Amino acid sequence: MIHNPLSQTKILLGVTGSIAAYKAADLASKLTQSGAQVKVILSDAATKFISPLTFQSVTGQPAYVDADLWGAQAHVLHIGLAHEADLLLIAPATAHTIAKLAQGSADDLLSLTALALGTDEDSAPLLIAPAMDAGMFGHAATQENLRVLVERGAVIIGPEQGHLASGLVAKGRMTEPLEILGHVRYQLSGRGPLRSRKIVVTAGATQEPLDPVRYLSNRASGKQGFALAQAALDAGADVTLISGPTHLLAPVGTNYIQVRSAEEMSAATLQACQTAHALLMAAAVADFRPAQHSNQKIKKSAGLPTIELARNPDILAAVKDQRAKFGHPKVLVGFAAETKDLLANARGKLKAKGLDLIAANDVSAADAGFAVDTNRITLLHADGQQEELPLMSKAEVAAEIIKRIIPLLDKESGS
Ligand code: PMT
């Protein structure tokens, strides 16, 4: 089962008066779809841009406005909302709201609630996604207010460079809802079973350059590796994600290292593994590279080229050798991408590479392996155990693998 840090959590979403308020509806919807219970507080100015009914409709929960302060439960509303919240997210946050939060000013429902949240170690986290014009964001007063809030433990998300309401293209645009969702997910993941464990994940395909415009590669998209990184983060791990070129967005919270060739991936992986507890090697590393790399584009007019290949380093084998020196990583997990004799080949790789676990991947099936969103794997354990998993999403496959490395790590550390 996928461990979802957002499931059953109570999120309070503060929306303030910016044109980006319309995006907050999408954010509220995404948070709700991710399993969180989302209550919304709109500032007076926010209601000029978007209606509370929009939020009530997408969350199925109340959306409060300042007038509710004077309602029947007025004397407890902000305290109750602050105490039940697992996290307060203010998106979009205007310069005015940021200034009020920094000063501890409490003159409307949102600022009252934010103050009631407290700043103790066990207070719910405060996440702020600013949205304003670039000059306002860059102003010394706003920067100082943000510094004060960060010092008190708040997390500032963005803003991003982009098109602003003023017509400027500059820094001030609210971070996109999907990325804000990633920050919320990361904030809530810290208490999982892999907390204080360092996990290295490799993903995607390597590209082996032939000349400045051509390379040898394969069809790996990075989806399975990125899903593993997300599942490890959700379980509370400290994750380094090393990936070949991909268009995927790295999960928020990963130490993301982008590489191109197998040699670059090897260097980055060996470095990261010196202190890691586990390596999950989902990358499809090119076994061979062109022996010669031309600095100029190879011309068609020069005739048909003969490409001589050189063997690339076997990264898993090198990590296993390095382990003798550093004692890390404790657990090694590989994948075997096969088109025939799946289990025999995977078993051979499990043994030859000294792995604790290998995911045997029949990449000849249309719904599994490279680039698609689903995968079908058989897990082979070092102790001979074999588990055939049904067709699943790559996120589900990742969760199954993470579930199995938890006891392996516990066994290694004797807990
Ligand atoms: O990225 P996606 O589109 O989501 O696709 C996912 C995937 C199909 C790439 C993934 O599930 C997968 O099967 N990855 C392993 C692909 C592969 O290279 O398998 P292999 O059988 O060639 O290698 C066996 C193991 O040795 C792998 O863990 C591989 O990362 C590792 N290896 C391979 C070559 C090399 N030079 N060094 C290595 O460490």
Side-chain angles (χ1 to χ4, degrees), residues 2 32 78 104 129 147 208 210 318 355 363 393:
I2 298 181
T32 306
H78 58 290
R147 190 195 61 74
E208 311 299 324
L210 182 59
L355 307 177
V363 293
S393 70

Side-chain angles (χ1 to χ4, degrees), residues 202-205 218-225 262 281-287 312-317 333-338 349 353 355 358-359 361 363 368-372 375 377 394:
T202 68
N218 60 65
R219 294 194 302 111
S221 63
K223 285 180 181 173
Q224 186 60 77
M281 195 78 201
V285 186
D287 288 314
N312 267 332
D314 186 316
I315 302 177
L316 271 172
V333 178
F335 276 73
E338 306 291 345
K349 286 175 183 171
K353 295 176 189 253
L355 307 177
I358 194 160
N361 216 172
V363 293
F370 293 101
V372 290
N375 212 351
I377 58 165
K394 284 184 173 168

Side-chain angles (χ1 to χ4, degrees), residues 311-391:
R311 194 172 280 283
N312 267 332
D314 186 316
I315 302 177
L316 271 172
V319 169
K320 189 180 138 208
D321 291 347
Q322 180 180 269
R323 179 159 67 173
K325 185 170 167 200
F326 294 99
H328 290 272
K330 306 289 181 198
V331 171
L332 291 179
V333 178
F335 276 73
E338 306 291 345
T339 51
K340 66 171 188 171
D341 301 331
L342 176 67
L343 296 184
N345 284 329
R347 213 169 275 122
K349 286 175 183 171
L350 173 79
K351 220 161 173 210
K353 295 176 189 253
L355 307 177
D356 299 277
L357 185 67
I358 194 160
N361 216 172
D362 178 358
V363 293
S364 64
D367 54 3
F370 293 101
V372 290
D373 290 327
T374 49
N375 212 351
R376 189 186 291 101
I377 58 165
T378 300
L379 289 171
L380 303 177
H381 297 246
D383 63 7
Q385 200 194 141
Q386 182 174 319
E387 303 175 85
E388 202 174 319
L389 303 185
L391 186 72

Side-chain angles (χ1 to χ4, degrees), residues 289-308:
R289 66 178 184 278
Q292 310 295 334
H293 173 227
S294 168
N295 289 328
Q296 302 298 329
K297 184 180 170 194
I298 299 169
K299 298 300 285 179
K300 204 162 49 178
S301 52
L304 203 60
T306 302
I307 300 166
E308 201 187 318

Side-chain angles (χ1 to χ4, degrees), residues 128-372:
I128 299 170
M132 64 197 75
D133 206 50
M136 295 165 72
F137 180 69
H139 195 287
T142 305
Q143 289 301 310
E144 176 60 13
N145 289 333
L146 288 170
R147 190 195 61 74
V148 166
L149 289 167
V150 168
E151 207 173 272
R152 289 189 204 135
V155 175
I156 311 299
I157 306 167
E160 314 300 326
Q161 185 86 9
H163 179 84
L164 305 177
S166 62
L168 275 180
V169 176
K171 195 169 178 177
R173 204 175 153 85
M174 189 177 87
T175 300
E176 288 304 316
L178 198 60
E179 197 180 332
I180 296 179
L181 180 76
H183 283 272
V184 172
R185 186 170 178 150
Y186 181 57
Q187 278 303 314
L188 295 170
S189 65
R191 295 180 290 269
L194 286 181
R195 70 187 162 282
S196 73
R197 302 290 199 184
K198 286 190 184 172
I199 309 285
V200 178
V201 180
T202 68
T206 63
Q207 291 181 355
E208 311 299 324
L210 182 59
D211 69 14
V213 297
R214 302 182 179 96
Y215 55 81
L216 300 184
S217 191
N218 60 65
R219 294 194 302 111
S221 63
K223 285 180 181 173
Q224 186 60 77
F226 277 52
L228 276 167
Q230 183 66 71
L233 279 172
D234 288 347
D238 174 354
V239 179
T240 296
L241 172 61
I242 301 168
S243 178
T246 171
H247 297 299
L248 300 177
L249 276 182
V252 172
T254 50
N255 170 25
Y256 185 38
I257 301 175
Q258 290 165 277
V259 295
R260 192 174 174 210
S261 66
E263 284 177 320
E264 285 173 24
M265 183 172 278
S266 178
T269 307
L270 284 167
Q271 169 83 32
C273 280
Q274 288 178 14
T275 54
H277 295 97
L279 167 64
L280 313 181
M281 195 78 201
V285 186
D287 288 314
F288 310 104
R289 66 178 184 278
Q292 310 295 334
H293 173 227
S294 168
N295 289 328
Q296 302 298 329
K297 184 180 170 194
I298 299 169
K299 298 300 285 179
K300 204 162 49 178
S301 52
L304 203 60
T306 302
I307 300 166
E308 201 187 318
L309 297 177
R311 194 172 280 283
N312 267 332
D314 186 316
I315 302 177
L316 271 172
V319 169
K320 189 180 138 208
D321 291 347
Q322 180 180 269
R323 179 159 67 173
K325 185 170 167 200
F326 294 99
H328 290 272
K330 306 289 181 198
V331 171
L332 291 179
V333 178
F335 276 73
E338 306 291 345
T339 51
K340 66 171 188 171
D341 301 331
L342 176 67
L343 296 184
N345 284 329
R347 213 169 275 122
K349 286 175 183 171
L350 173 79
K351 220 161 173 210
K353 295 176 189 253
L355 307 177
D356 299 277
L357 185 67
I358 194 160
N361 216 172
D362 178 358
V363 293
S364 64
D367 54 3
F370 293 101
V372 290

